[in-house]
Amino acid sequence: MILEGKKVVIMGVRNKWSIAWGAVQSASEQGAEVICTCSGDSEEKVKELLKEIPNSSLYVCNDVSKDEDIDNCLEQIKKDHGKIDGILHAIAHANTEDLRNDFILTSRDGYAHAQDVSSYSLVAIVRMAKEKDMLNEGASIVAYTYYGSEKAIEGYNVMGVAKAALEASIRYLAVDLGKIGCRINGISAGPIKTLSAKGIKDFGSILTVVEEKAPLHRNVTTKQVGDSTAFLFSDLSSAITGEIIHVDSGYNIMGV
């Protein structure tokens, strides 16, 4: 098992359909102690799910746009578990109207909200983890992104812009984390039916296009993304940092 003896924090679990839940399952299967965070309104659902995951625990981080909420959550994790070996950032949000309307209609507040929750929260989490000295040497951080950061995907709108900022942040954070022997990478997952995906207009057509055009002619699963996350958490990826790895059945390589 490639994560045996490691402790990883998985932030952003919502329900059994969330991509983060696939990461929980894969990390546990590979021997990791799994420490999850969720918002307060998801606590009971996630607590029930974790009954099937041995050596797991749950903490509430209600609002990642508030430094005090992140700080309190990480402080409690450090108090209970000491240093950790990995963090998964699976957190994103945009206002529904900013996904449903044309991008040009994005409000200033909506733009700032999507950037704060979906992108800046990664910077804040990594900074606080470093300041609290809770990252073991060789620790690996992973963040989830999507192809809408690279190409204009109808209905993804402001979230695509936020994910582009997230990916740029990963590259700059890789330089800073490298100074303490830690790594950070992103996974650009193919489209998956999640609760969040319901906010994207005509999401079903995106799934159909991937099946038609991707080299493997199939959509990806949360388990496949989770397995790739476990790899990036592991020492098998110890020379990889600052990268955005596509886990999308090869869809991103296609020109038409």
Side-chain angles (χ1 to χ4, degrees), residues 5 107 133 174 192 207 225:
S107 67
D133 190 28
I192 296 175
L207 296 172
V225 178

Side-chain angles (χ1 to χ4, degrees), residues 151-169:
K151 304 291 182 181
I153 304 294
E154 185 175 0
Y156 204 57
N157 297 345
V158 71
M159 186 58 74
V161 178
K163 289 296 188 181
L166 180 81
E167 293 179 14
S169 298

Side-chain angles (χ1 to χ4, degrees), residues 216-229:
L216 293 178
H217 296 288
R218 60 174 184 258
N219 283 290
V220 300
T221 66
T222 57
K223 183 62 166 55
Q224 289 170 325
V225 178
D227 287 345
S228 297
T229 306

Side-chain angles (χ1 to χ4, degrees), residues 49-82:
L49 288 173
L50 288 176
K51 289 181 179 178
E52 66 184 67
I53 304 296
N55 203 19
S56 63
S57 53
L58 179 63
Y59 296 82
V60 171
C61 185
N62 263 320
D63 188 351
V64 294
S65 68
K66 297 179 179 177
D67 284 351
E68 58 267 31
D69 281 19
I70 299 172
D71 184 79
N72 291 337
C73 181
L74 294 182
E75 188 64 33
Q76 191 60 50
I77 290 172
K78 183 184 179 185
K79 178 182 176 182
D80 294 343
H81 300 276

Side-chain angles (χ1 to χ4, degrees), residues 37-256:
T37 79
C38 69
S39 58
D41 58 0
S42 301
E43 184 177 8
E44 292 306 315
K45 291 179 184 178
V46 178
K47 189 180 295 183
E48 189 65 26
L49 288 173
L50 288 176
K51 289 181 179 178
E52 66 184 67
I53 304 296
N55 203 19
S56 63
S57 53
L58 179 63
Y59 296 82
V60 171
C61 185
N62 263 320
D63 188 351
V64 294
S65 68
K66 297 179 179 177
D67 284 351
E68 58 267 31
D69 281 19
I70 299 172
D71 184 79
N72 291 337
C73 181
L74 294 182
E75 188 64 33
Q76 191 60 50
I77 290 172
K78 183 184 179 185
K79 178 182 176 182
D80 294 343
H81 300 276
K83 290 193 173 187
I84 59 174
D85 302 288
I87 300 174
L88 170 64
H89 178 280
I91 301 167
H93 190 266
N95 295 330
T96 301
E97 62 269 23
D98 292 325
L99 296 174
R100 295 296 175 89
N101 296 329
D102 288 347
F103 175 69
I104 199 171
L105 299 175
T106 305
S107 67
R108 184 180 297 273
D109 287 345
Y111 188 100
H113 171 74
Q115 289 284 355
D116 194 1
V117 175
S118 310
S119 178
Y120 182 74
S121 62
L122 174 67
V123 180
I125 289 164
V126 172
R127 183 184 70 250
M128 291 184 201
K130 179 179 178 292
E131 289 173 348
K132 292 178 183 298
D133 190 28
M134 62 187 295
L135 298 174
N136 276 322
E137 185 174 356
S140 174
I141 296 162
V142 182
Y144 285 163
T145 183
Y146 175 60
Y147 189 54
S149 65
E150 304 172 49
K151 304 291 182 181
I153 304 294
E154 185 175 0
Y156 204 57
N157 297 345
V158 71
M159 186 58 74
V161 178
K163 289 296 188 181
L166 180 81
E167 293 179 14
S169 298
I170 287 170
R171 290 186 284 272
Y172 281 94
L173 287 169
V175 175
D176 293 339
L177 287 170
K179 298 171 185 176
I180 59 170
C182 296
R183 303 181 292 115
I184 184 169
N185 293 284
I187 288 179
S188 183
I192 296 175
K193 288 182 180 179
T194 64
L195 187 62
S196 298
K198 291 181 179 180
I200 301 173
K201 184 171 60 177
D202 298 326
F203 181 75
S205 64
I206 298 176
L207 296 172
T208 301
V209 168
V210 171
E211 287 185 345
E212 292 175 351
K213 303 294 185 181
L216 293 178
H217 296 288
R218 60 174 184 258
N219 283 290
V220 300
T221 66
T222 57
K223 183 62 166 55
Q224 289 170 325
V225 178
D227 287 345
S228 297
T229 306
F231 164 71
L232 287 175
F233 277 150
S234 80
D235 295 338
L236 295 176
S237 61
S238 61
I240 302 174
T241 195
E243 293 288 345
I244 307 299
I245 297 176
H246 292 82
V247 182
D248 63 355
S249 295
Y251 179 76
N252 74 95
I253 72 169
M254 303 303 293
V256 293

